Amino acid sequence: MRYLFIVVLLCFMVSCINSSKVHMDDFKQGKFKTVLEDNKTESFAIRNDSIQIEDFNGKMDTFNIKWLDQFEYVLTKRVPKTLLDSTPFYVKITSVKQNSYSFNAYYKGSNFKQKGTAFKLE
């Protein structure tokens, strides 16, 4: 009887641990709020697996999103108007929490770098 209780208790504990596990696929679609490292700059985005629509200071942009692996993706503007707009923007996820992830990002071939956190709203 004692062994049965211990087995049931262990199964319960394992199921609780697994239920709080973060699934990276959860970040491939949904609504997000992104806050940059300065804590003043923020944007909002709606993302599905291949497109991201972003609102930054009232300006809407649409990006193609290509996932390189579970922790890295590339954003490319669908309708670039400048050379910078046509430059791929790489995002590397550096840490993950339940409903957010931290990232480092940069334009390909540039020294420009950004750090921030994306919070999943839905």
Side-chain angles (χ1 to χ4, degrees):
M1 183 71 168
R2 192 168 99 190
Y3 293 112
L4 179 61
F5 176 74
I6 291 172
V7 169
V8 170
L9 182 63
L10 285 174
C11 289
F12 176 74
M13 289 173 47
V14 168
S15 69
C16 288
I17 291 169
N18 287 337
S19 67
S20 66
K21 188 175 181 181
V22 175
H23 298 282
M24 290 306 296
D25 288 340
D26 293 344
F27 294 115
K28 290 188 176 183
Q29 55 188 344
K31 293 182 181 180
F32 297 87
K33 175 183 175 182
T34 301
V35 180
L36 296 183
E37 190 175 39
D38 64 7
N39 287 325
K40 296 177 185 175
T41 307
E42 58 184 39
S43 65
F44 295 89
I46 299 171
R47 178 188 302 160
N48 69 27
D49 197 38
S50 62
I51 294 176
Q52 177 169 305
I53 301 169
E54 190 167 335
D55 178 358
F56 177 70
N57 289 335
K59 183 180 175 197
M60 302 292 282
D61 282 315
T62 303
F63 298 89
N64 292 322
I65 184 168
K66 179 181 177 187
W67 288 86
L68 302 176
D69 58 40
Q70 291 291 309
F71 297 95
E72 190 170 10
Y73 60 91
V74 181
L75 295 170
T76 309
K77 261 193 191 176
R78 291 192 98 183
V79 183
K81 295 178 181 158
T82 66
L83 181 61
L84 182 61
D85 285 351
S86 63
T87 305
F89 191 67
Y90 286 79
V91 179
K92 177 76 172 174
I93 297 171
T94 56
S95 68
V96 178
K97 293 184 180 174
Q98 189 64 30
N99 290 318
S100 67
Y101 62 87
S102 296
F103 63 87
N104 293 331
Y106 63 94
Y107 284 104
K108 183 177 182 177
S110 171
N111 290 332
F112 174 80
K113 296 188 186 317
Q114 283 184 336
K115 291 183 179 183
T117 304
F119 299 92
K120 187 163 186 183
L121 301 176
E122 289 183 14

